[in-house]
Amino acid sequence: MGGVTPASLAPILLVLGDEELLATRAVTEAVAKVRGADPEADVREYQASALTVGEIAEMLSPSLFGGRRLLILRSGQDARKDLVAALLAYAKNPDPDVQLLVLHLGAAKGKAFADGLRAAGATVVPAAKLKGHRDRVAFVRDEIRRAGGKCTDDAAEALIAAVGNDLRELAAACSQLIADTDGRISADTVSRYYRGRVEVTGFTVADATMVGDVPAALEALRWALHVGVDPVPIADALADGVRTVARVASAGRGNPYQLASSLGMPAWKIERAQRQGRGWTPEGLVRAMQVAAECNAAVKGGSDDRAYALERAVFSVAAARQGSTR
């Protein structure tokens, strides 16, 4: 691919749409291209609603000092009528040393401005939110391709199933997959990479918390929330984990199969609770039960930040266990 030359830069770019990732990327690429043509290029950003006709005329007039300029106009849909008129008049005969980039949400507001720029020959960069599933599949495939990899449709489908629909999350996941593989992404690659992570439940979080493995508990918690596990069953699982260990501990050291009928629990659950109960004292378990109850109240009572309530509970339960071992 050849280098960027001033002649290869579109004099007017219209970034049209309300998907922040795509709009931000369009600006980043425009800045990189201008700097590629002229490392000393003057890059300036403005909010369309705050600009006057006099200011824009000064910015778009030929510079005494030469050099390239990139003017980024954000929220173009908010530009006032006189500014729109001045910019559309300029667009008919733009300065070859100036690149004007207008960001516009693409809705009905300010539509005449976007239509006028398009009619004047602006290069349109689509940045609309991807509404359909097929669009997201195409986005994933394009992300992988941009990074030098290859991706099948079923691999893209698998990644969307694992990560969700948020474009930022998808872009980050594509980048991670490329970094961690040979770049040839199949459905099997995605499945291997995300196996186990998608299946995280509240019990995974509770089990790690009860044995004091805070890093594993936090990783499981964050991943569970990331893939859409509801906070309520996570809080329930944590409370159940503490309660089970406390009940089994109070029953003494008996054989799990003998204790199963008296405790009304399956033997495997008693055996696991006995393992998790090592290192806990009765006082530590009482404190952990208080923490679990507070966490449940916060999560079910509509706390503003339920993820924070769960994280705090993980730390506090682990601290209660740590206090037990001192």
Side-chain angles (χ1 to χ4, degrees):
M1 194 175 89
V4 178
T5 63
S8 69
L9 297 169
I12 299 173
L13 283 171
L14 173 61
V15 179
L16 203 56
D18 55 350
E19 176 53 66
E20 191 186 343
L21 172 72
L22 299 178
T24 301
R25 185 174 283 174
V27 172
T28 305
E29 288 179 358
V31 172
K33 278 187 178 179
V34 167
R35 295 259 196 249
D38 176 4
E40 302 296 317
D42 184 8
V43 178
R44 302 184 191 186
E45 284 196 31
Y46 303 92
Q47 286 291 331
S49 60
L51 266 184
T52 66
V53 173
E55 287 171 323
I56 201 73
E58 186 183 327
M59 291 166 208
L60 294 170
S61 61
S63 169
L64 292 173
F65 306 105
R68 294 203 61 78
R69 268 175 293 165
L70 170 61
L71 301 181
I72 300 164
L73 198 62
R74 294 191 176 272
S75 305
Q77 71 282 347
D78 296 333
R80 292 192 297 271
K81 283 183 181 176
D82 56 348
L83 182 66
V84 168
L87 286 168
L88 291 181
Y90 167 81
K92 289 173 185 168
N93 187 24
D95 184 329
D97 288 329
V98 177
Q99 188 175 37
L100 174 66
L101 184 154
V102 177
L103 292 140
H104 190 296
L105 289 179
K109 185 180 182 185
K111 186 172 182 295
F113 184 25
D115 290 348
L117 287 174
R118 201 196 304 257
T123 299
V124 178
V125 181
K129 277 196 166 40
L130 305 186
K131 293 187 169 64
H133 181 69
R134 299 308 312 160
D135 289 342
R136 282 186 280 273
V137 168
F139 172 80
V140 168
R141 293 198 64 180
D142 190 48
E143 280 294 292
I144 301 285
R145 198 160 42 238
R146 280 162 60 101
K150 288 184 178 177
C151 171
T152 58
D153 265 6
D154 57 346
E157 300 261 9
L159 191 63
I160 292 164
V163 175
N165 291 332
D166 182 84
L167 285 205
R168 285 186 182 278
E169 301 284 2
L170 284 171
C174 290
S175 176
Q176 198 65 55
L177 274 172
I178 286 286
D180 293 348
T181 66
D182 63 1
R184 290 191 295 269
I185 313 298
S186 67
D188 282 347
T189 314
V190 176
S191 174
R192 273 199 314 275
Y193 194 82
Y194 285 98
R195 185 178 293 132
R197 297 190 180 202
V198 182
E199 294 155 10
V200 164
T201 67
F203 294 105
T204 319
V205 179
D207 289 348
T209 303
M210 290 310 294
V211 296
D213 190 346
V214 173
L218 291 177
E219 185 184 357
L221 171 62
R222 287 164 187 164
W223 185 255
L225 295 171
H226 175 77
V227 298
V229 177
D230 189 87
V232 169
I234 300 175
D236 283 340
L238 192 59
D240 181 69
V242 175
R243 204 164 41 240
T244 302
V245 168
R247 280 185 68 200
V248 170
S250 66
R253 291 182 173 275
N255 181 301
Y257 295 94
Q258 291 170 337
L259 291 171
S261 57
S262 61
L263 289 175
M265 286 183 209
W268 65 263
K269 194 171 185 180
I270 294 171
E271 194 174 5
R272 186 179 65 184
Q274 285 175 332
R275 280 199 313 273
Q276 291 176 345
R278 291 179 194 132
W280 280 96
T281 62
E283 296 78 19
L285 285 166
V286 167
R287 173 67 192 130
M289 288 175 81
Q290 289 170 339
V291 168
E294 287 162 11
C295 174
N296 250 289
V299 169
K300 292 175 183 173
S303 163
D304 285 344
D305 193 342
R306 301 194 296 170
Y308 173 70
L310 286 164
E311 284 201 6
R312 193 176 54 190
V314 167
F315 281 114
S316 299
V317 170
R321 182 181 182 279
Q322 188 69 26
S324 297
T325 59
R326 282 186 186 138

